[in-house]
Amino acid sequence: MTDSVSLCRVIASRKLPEIRAVALLLGMILAVASANSWAAVFVVTNINAPGAGFNDTTAVAAVTGNPATTLGAQRMAVFQAAADSWGALLQSPVNIVVAAQMTSLSCSSNSAILGSAGAASIFRDFPNAPLANTWYPVALANALASFDNDPGKADINANFNQDIGKQNCLTSRPWSYVIGVPAPASTISFFDTVVHEIGHGLGVFSLVSTSTGQLFNNQSDSYTQHLLDETPTSTLWTALNNAGRAASAIDTGNLTWNGGSVNAVASLLTAGRHGSSNRVRMYAPNPLVSGSSVSHFDTALTPNEIMEPSLNSVTRRRLANHLMLDLGWRARVNLSVSNSDDFVELPAGSVTSYTITVQNNSAADLTVINLGVLNTLPAALQGVSWSCAGQAGGSCSASDGLGNINTQVAIPQAGSVVFTVNAVLNATFTGTLNNTVNLVLPANLQNQNPATLTATDSTNIISAADPAGFSISPISGDTTEGGVTATFSVVLDTQPSSNVSLGLSSSDTTEGTVAPSALLFTNGNWNVPQLVTVTGQDDFVDDGNIAYSIITASAVSSDPNYQGLNPADVAITNLDDDTAGIEVSAASGNTSETGSTTTFTIELDSEPTADVSISLSSSSEDEGLVSPTIVSFTPTTWFEARLVTITGQDDVLKDGDVAYSIITAPVVSLDANYSGLDPADLNLINIDEDSELIFKDGFDSP
C-alpha cells in the first residue's frame, strides 16, 4: 500500500477566440475599471442529477471542518472550500464558474480514476493579453481582460469518482471530506484532489501534444511559454521544433520551469531542482505518461507540491501559487507596515530610533518578492543610518544604508523584515515630527487593505529647556512562559546637572524578571533611550495569564530637579503557555490477524495538581486487545509518556480488513482542569492482507 495516488486532468473543450466589436469591448472595460482590487470568486455549479454525486442524500456524520450531514452536501462543502482556497490567492473581476459533478468512473479494488478537470475553453489576443498569439484558459483570459470572454458558460469543467471507497472500488481507501486538517490515514483527500484539478483548470497545463511536440493550432500557450529543456543548452520550448519538444517531454530531469516567480522560491526545495541551473524540474518520465507528463511538477520535489502527478499525504502549495503568477494571474496579499520611535514626546537634540516592521499576513502561502520599502526622512532627522534584518524567512536586498530608505525586500507567508533607523533630532526643531514609510507592491500583486501599505509616526518635539522628567515608551507587548521577552525604553526629558540613577524591579519574579536592575543617565547619554528587557518565567501548571508590574523606584541624583522623581510603573502580563490537555499519538501501524502489535503513547500537556487516570478499552476485542487498560499520571511523573500496546487478534473467518478503535475514557482526577477531559479515540485496522493502489491519469493533449 502506498501513501500517494496518481491524479488526472482533462481539457473539457477548446474554443477559438471570437472577434468582437471594439466599442463593445471598451464598454466592458470601463464597467470594471476598479477590478484590480477584487478577489476571485468561485461559483460552483452542481450539474449532478437528483440523488447522485453532489446531490446524494445519504445521511453521514459531520467530520472535522465540515458540518454537513448528507453525503452530497458534505462533498459540495469540500469542493467549495477547495475552490475558495484558490480564491483567497487570486484576483479576478469576473466570477470563475466551475461546473462540478460526481459520476461513476473507471474503478476496481486496487485502482481507480479519481477525477478530472480542465479549462472549458481557451482564448488568445483579448484586451490586456500579456502575449500575442498565445492561448490562455478562459478563467485567466477573463481576469486579464476584465470581462467575460464566454458569458453564460462554465470556465472549468470537473468530474470526480463518486464510487471511491465502495465495494470493488478502493474499498479500504475511501474519500475523506475533512476541511482544514490533513485527511486521516488510509483515506484519500477530496480537498487536495479538487485543489489539484482546479489548478489545471486555472492554467497548469500545456496544449502541446506530448507525443508529437505539435503546438495547438501552431501557437503557444501561457503554460508552454515557461517550459525549458536544459540539454544540450538551455532552450525554451517555444524555440524548439516539434521533434525537440517531443524529445524534451521524456528528457527526465532536464525539463524545467522558467518563470521569475517560481525561480525566486526554488531554493525552498531540498530536492527536485536541476543540477546546473537550479530551476524546478517538471514531470518528464520516459516512457511518456499520457495525461500526466509535462503538465506537473516532477515527483522528485521535496517537500512535495500539490501540482505533482501523485497526491501525497503531505503537500505544499507554495510553488503552485508562484506558478500562477508566472502564468499571468494577479494575486491578493495581506501586507502591513508599522513605524514607531516609541515616544509621544522628545526634546530637541535627542538621539532617536525608529523601528519599521513589514509583515506578510497573507492567507495563501506566497512569498512577496521585489517589495519596495520607501522612507523619505524629514529634514529634522540628521545623521541618519539604518539596518535591515529578516525574520521567519524574510530577507533584505541591502542590510544597511545611510539617509533615506529606498530598497526591496522578500517576505514569505508569516515572515517579516525589520528596519532600525537611527538619527539625531535637529537641536532647534520643535513641533510635530512626522515620519512616513510606504510599501510599493509589484504590479502583479494587490493588497487586501491598501491603507496598511503606509505608516506614519508622529512625535511632539519639545524644547530642551522643558522641565525635568522621564519618558517611558509603551512596552512592546506581553511576556510568555515560553521565554518571550518584552521591551521598553527610558530617556530623560532634560539634561541633568549630575548623574541620575533609576532602580528597576519586578513585582513578581516568578512571572517575569527585569534587566538591567538600574539605569544610569549622565550629562552625555541623558538623551539616548536606554532599553529595558523583561523576560517571562515558566512553570508547567495551567494557571492562566498573570498580571505583574515593573516597578520604577524614586530617582537618585544630586540634581535637585531629578532627585526623588518617581516615574509610573510599567504594567505587563505573563501569558500562560500551559493548557490542560491529553495528547494521543498516532499508532505506529495497524495490527494484523497474525498477532502483530502496534503501539501509541499518551502524554499530558501540563502539570496536574492531582493524579490523573485514563481507562482504555478495545471496541472489538475479537480484532485487537489493549494493554495496559489504565494509564495514570502524578504531579511528579506527569511529563513521562505512557506506552500502550495493541495486539491483533485472529479469527477463522476471511472477513477482510476490519476497523476498530481503542476507546479512551474520560479522565478521572481531582484536578478540575483535567477532570472529565475525553481524549480522542484511536482508530485502527486489523489487516487480513495488503493491496496496491494505482491511480491512472486520463488525459492526453492533442
Side-chain angles (χ1 to χ4, degrees):
M1 185 172 292
T2 178
D3 287 333
S4 65
V5 292
S6 298
L7 296 163
C8 67
R9 55 92 180 164
V10 298
I11 303 297
S13 64
R14 298 184 176 91
K15 181 177 180 179
L16 295 178
E18 299 176 8
I19 299 174
R20 305 185 183 188
V22 173
L24 174 61
L25 294 179
L26 290 176
M28 290 182 172
I29 293 170
L30 292 173
V32 292
S34 62
N36 284 345
S37 63
W38 295 358
V41 175
F42 281 77
V43 178
V44 180
T45 303
N46 177 0
I47 61 174
N48 268 125
F54 291 113
N55 294 319
D56 193 319
T57 58
T58 302
V60 294
V63 294
T64 302
N66 192 338
T69 55
T70 66
L71 184 56
Q74 204 167 81
R75 289 166 167 171
M76 182 55 68
V78 178
F79 199 104
Q80 187 67 61
D84 290 344
S85 71
W86 283 114
L89 170 72
L90 304 176
Q91 290 177 267
S92 177
V94 181
N95 289 349
I96 299 172
V97 179
V98 184
Q101 64 177 327
M102 295 189 76
T103 63
S104 295
L105 302 176
S106 176
C107 199
S108 69
S109 60
N110 59 4
S111 67
I113 295 177
L114 293 182
S116 59
S121 55
I122 56 175
F123 287 84
R124 62 173 176 84
D125 300 323
F126 47 84
N128 302 321
L131 296 171
N133 299 316
T134 302
W135 296 107
Y136 290 81
V138 61
L140 178 53
N142 293 345
L144 293 170
S146 295
F147 65 85
D148 196 336
N149 287 276
D150 211 2
K153 298 180 181 179
D155 305 308
I156 298 173
N157 293 321
N159 186 18
F160 294 87
N161 197 332
Q162 68 180 356
D163 297 328
I164 299 296
K166 296 181 180 179
Q167 186 175 5
N168 296 323
C169 185
L170 304 182
T171 307
S172 62
R173 293 291 298 278
W175 285 123
S176 169
Y177 298 112
V178 299
I179 300 175
V181 296
S186 299
T187 65
I188 301 169
S189 173
F190 191 57
F191 181 93
D192 286 350
T193 304
V194 174
V195 166
H196 176 106
E197 298 300 345
I198 288 179
H200 285 308
L202 294 170
V204 185
F205 63 87
S206 172
L207 290 172
V208 173
S209 170
T210 53
S211 59
T212 68
Q214 175 67 46
L215 296 174
F216 177 72
N217 204 36
N218 293 317
Q219 293 168 327
S220 186
D221 57 80
S222 55
Y223 182 90
T224 301
Q225 288 285 336
H226 300 283
L227 293 176
L228 181 146
D229 194 83
E230 302 282 357
T231 58
T233 59
S234 298
T235 307
L236 287 168
W237 266 35
T238 51
L240 295 172
N241 58 22
N242 291 351
R245 284 186 288 267
S248 179
I250 56 174
D251 192 5
T252 306
N254 290 315
L255 178 63
T256 63
W257 183 263
N258 186 46
S261 190
V262 170
N263 290 348
V265 296
S267 60
L268 297 170
L269 294 175
T270 58
R273 288 183 289 163
H274 188 266
S276 299
S277 70
N278 283 324
R279 296 185 185 95
V280 177
R281 287 167 49 176
M282 306 306 289
Y283 189 51
N286 188 2
L288 193 75
V289 178
S290 176
S292 291
S293 290
V294 177
S295 295
H296 294 90
F297 289 121
D298 200 305
T299 56
L301 267 60
T302 303
N304 294 318
E305 273 283 331
I306 192 68
M307 294 310 297
E308 293 182 35
S310 297
L311 180 63
N312 298 281
S313 57
V314 179
T315 57
R316 296 184 64 175
R317 271 183 58 181
R318 182 170 294 180
L319 292 185
N321 290 341
H322 283 269
L323 188 144
M324 291 297 168
L325 296 181
D326 287 336
L327 291 177
W329 283 98
R330 294 185 289 261
R332 300 173 71 242
V333 292
N334 183 12
L335 301 176
S336 64
V337 59
S338 63
N339 175 28
S340 176
D341 64 358
D342 287 338
F343 290 100
V344 175
E345 190 172 77
L346 277 174
S350 298
V351 174
T352 188
S353 178
Y354 292 88
T355 299
I356 300 168
T357 303
V358 185
Q359 294 180 300
N360 182 353
N361 310 305
S362 303
D365 190 358
L366 188 78
T367 296
V368 178
I369 58 177
N370 301 326
L371 174 65
V373 181
L374 298 180
N375 182 202
T376 302
L377 297 154
L381 293 174
Q382 302 173 342
V384 177
S385 65
W386 55 266
S387 62
C388 179
Q391 298 181 348
S395 61
C396 312
S397 60
S399 60
D400 53 52
L402 301 174
N404 296 332
I405 299 175
N406 185 357
T407 188
Q408 291 185 332
V409 298
I411 313 178
Q413 180 192 38
S416 63
V417 294
V418 178
F419 290 84
T420 301
V421 181
N422 297 307
V424 178
L425 291 169
N426 187 299
T428 62
F429 178 85
T430 59
T432 301
L433 179 66
N434 295 318
N435 181 20
T436 300
V437 179
N438 293 298
L439 302 183
V440 181
L441 282 176
N444 59 357
L445 299 181
Q446 182 78 22
N447 208 47
Q448 289 181 228
N449 182 2
T452 63
L453 295 178
T454 185
T456 299
D457 177 87
S458 297
T459 306
N460 184 34
I461 309 303
I462 60 176
S463 171
D466 285 343
F470 293 88
S471 290
I472 300 178
S473 71
I475 196 159
S476 62
D478 293 318
T479 59
T480 74
E481 288 190 353
V484 171
T485 61
T487 59
F488 63 92
S489 58
V490 183
V491 70
L492 301 191
D493 292 341
T494 60
Q495 187 173 22
S497 59
S498 62
N499 292 349
V500 177
S501 177
L502 181 67
L504 302 170
S505 61
S506 172
S507 65
D508 187 348
T509 56
T510 66
E511 295 298 332
T513 58
V514 61
S517 59
L519 303 175
L520 181 65
F521 297 92
T522 68
N523 286 331
N525 75 351
W526 67 273
N527 56 356
V528 179
Q530 296 192 33
L531 189 69
V532 179
T533 301
V534 186
T535 303
Q537 301 300 298
D538 194 20
D539 60 31
F540 301 102
V541 180
D542 181 5
D543 56 354
N545 300 332
I546 305 296
Y548 63 107
S549 300
I550 302 305
I551 301 170
T552 56
S554 297
V556 177
S557 177
S558 298
D559 184 335
N561 292 318
Y562 277 97
Q563 172 62 25
L565 284 182
N566 189 351
D569 297 339
V570 178
I572 191 170
T573 299
N574 196 33
L575 304 180
D576 190 15
D577 64 355
D578 301 300
T579 302
I582 300 163
E583 299 293 332
V584 179
S585 74
S588 59
N590 287 312
T591 59
S592 71
E593 290 190 356
T594 63
S596 68
T597 63
T598 188
T599 61
F600 67 96
T601 59
I602 300 178
E603 296 180 86
L604 301 190
D605 289 341
S606 66
E607 180 182 346
T609 58
D611 291 353
V612 170
S613 295
I614 304 168
S615 295
L616 305 171
S617 62
S618 172
S619 65
S620 177
E621 294 186 349
D622 290 337
E623 299 299 334
L625 296 177
V626 62
S627 177
T629 58
I630 297 177
V631 293
S632 299
F633 302 85
T634 71
T636 56
T637 65
W638 67 273
F639 52 87
E640 298 174 355
R642 302 298 189 262
L643 183 68
V644 180
T645 301
I646 306 102
T647 303
Q649 302 299 298
D650 194 13
D651 58 32
V652 296
L653 299 175
K654 187 175 181 181
D655 54 355
D657 299 344
V658 178
Y660 66 104
S661 301
I662 301 304
I663 300 169
T664 56
V667 169
V668 176
S669 178
L670 295 178
D671 184 330
N673 288 325
Y674 273 98
S675 180
L677 288 182
D678 192 359
D681 297 338
L682 188 72
N683 296 321
L684 296 166
I685 296 174
N686 198 30
I687 298 173
D688 270 348
E689 61 185 14
D690 294 325
S691 61
E692 180 181 5
L693 279 91
I694 301 172
F695 289 77
K696 298 180 179 178
D697 279 314
F699 170 80
D700 186 16
S701 299

